[in-house]
Amino acid sequence: MPKPKKAATKAPKSRSCATLQVHFGLLDKYPEFRTNQGEIERFTRSATVEREVAMRTGVVTIHVVVHVVHGLPVENISDAQIKSQIRVLNKDYRAKNTDTSKVPVPFKSLVADPQVTFALAKRDPQGKRTTGITRTKTTRSSFSIDDGVKSPSTGGVAPWDTTRFLNIWVCTLSDDLLGYAQFPGGPATTDGVVILNTAFGTSGSAAAPFNKGRTATHEIGHYLNLSHIWGESRIPDCSDDDFVTDTPKQFGPNTGKPMFPHLSCGNGPNGDLFMNYMDYVDDAAMFMFSTSQVERMRAALTGPRSTLGA
């Protein structure tokens, strides 16, 4: 295996999420995943559009295990940095983040509370006491989108029971990636979320412009079956769809800190919902999930992710 090199001390300049690349690769590798995706979409439509399914109600607490995979001391992020990320998630997934005040007036009515909280696991899969944090020394200098971080044979660590825990791997990623996630219905051996260590939490090695914990917010959105706000096509265009009814059509990702309104696809006068967690803007420019996005996540927690927090 390659020898460790100096870990990145700065985050990439713009957001890059590899969820779609990973997703298409898994669809090719696991034909049953494609079948599962079709069934999940039919269930989601039945729950959110046709209202034929009783949605799970109340606040759902998802138990989290954070797998820190490190080759150098700087990559072995602190408990404090990990806990800072959990605090961000518990604000963002309850719409209690103070920066919802920055949502432009025409979009304020869309801001919704997913009613999801996150807690580091107190018991491991065998029932033993745990901090909800694992630490694995690796000889890898970085990891890519091949899920190598999720297996001991490739320098990583295997997930805990993915039906009971949200597994988050934190490591150094190659190619300026901030992270990626797996949609519901995929193989259990790779289920979970991967985040760059300099884009995790709000302290320690977290580096601007991705030091407000929103990369995890974004990737967990995918884990709960949200698409990027502009859609799922390999080549974005105005006919693409994110399977959510209340988000405006949008040509492609926005980056940095756009000024409102930012128009595309004839969506004036208000333009893109770029301040949404599922766009590509900087951490300091994303503030919200929409009502229909919340319904879609609740459908995931009712169906394919129903064992989480049960």
Side-chain angles (χ1 to χ4, degrees), residues 285-303:
M286 51 171 57
F287 319 124
M288 62 168 286
F289 289 115
S290 74
T291 299
S292 294
Q293 283 177 320
V294 167
E295 289 184 343
R296 188 171 174 85
M297 287 191 283
R298 297 302 294 194
L301 290 167
T302 302

Side-chain angles (χ1 to χ4, degrees), residues 65-120:
V65 55
V66 176
H67 303 291
V68 180
V69 182
H70 59 95
L72 296 175
V74 69
E75 298 171 320
N76 191 15
I77 64 172
S78 68
D79 288 6
Q81 185 171 344
I82 292 168
K83 290 175 182 177
S84 75
Q85 179 63 74
I86 299 298
R87 286 194 294 272
V88 170
L89 293 174
N90 282 333
K91 290 180 180 179
D92 291 352
Y93 278 83
R94 288 306 318 274
K96 291 183 177 180
N97 50 302
T98 58
D99 47 12
T100 55
S101 63
K102 299 178 183 178
V103 175
V105 171
F107 291 137
K108 281 189 180 296
S109 64
L110 295 180
V111 177
D113 174 7
Q115 290 193 294
V116 177
T117 61
F118 299 83
L120 290 170

Side-chain angles (χ1 to χ4, degrees), residues 98-156:
T98 58
D99 47 12
T100 55
S101 63
K102 299 178 183 178
V103 175
V105 171
F107 291 137
K108 281 189 180 296
S109 64
L110 295 180
V111 177
D113 174 7
Q115 290 193 294
V116 177
T117 61
F118 299 83
L120 290 170
K122 293 182 179 180
R123 298 280 179 179
D124 70 10
Q126 289 72 45
K128 297 179 181 178
R129 289 189 179 277
T130 179
T131 62
I133 300 168
T134 73
R135 297 182 182 278
T136 301
K137 183 79 171 177
T138 186
T139 57
R140 294 281 296 267
S141 58
S142 65
F143 292 90
S144 67
I145 63 173
D146 64 0
D147 283 330
V149 74
K150 302 175 183 178
S151 172
S153 66
T154 48

Side-chain angles (χ1 to χ4, degrees), residues 39-65:
E39 292 175 353
I40 289 168
E41 278 308 308
R42 285 189 287 274
F43 176 87
T44 302
R45 180 175 179 81
S46 179
T48 62
V49 178
E50 297 162 0
R51 308 292 182 180
E52 295 176 344
V53 174
M55 289 278 211
R56 189 172 179 179
T57 59
V59 176
V60 176
T61 298
I62 295 177
H63 300 292
V64 178
V65 55

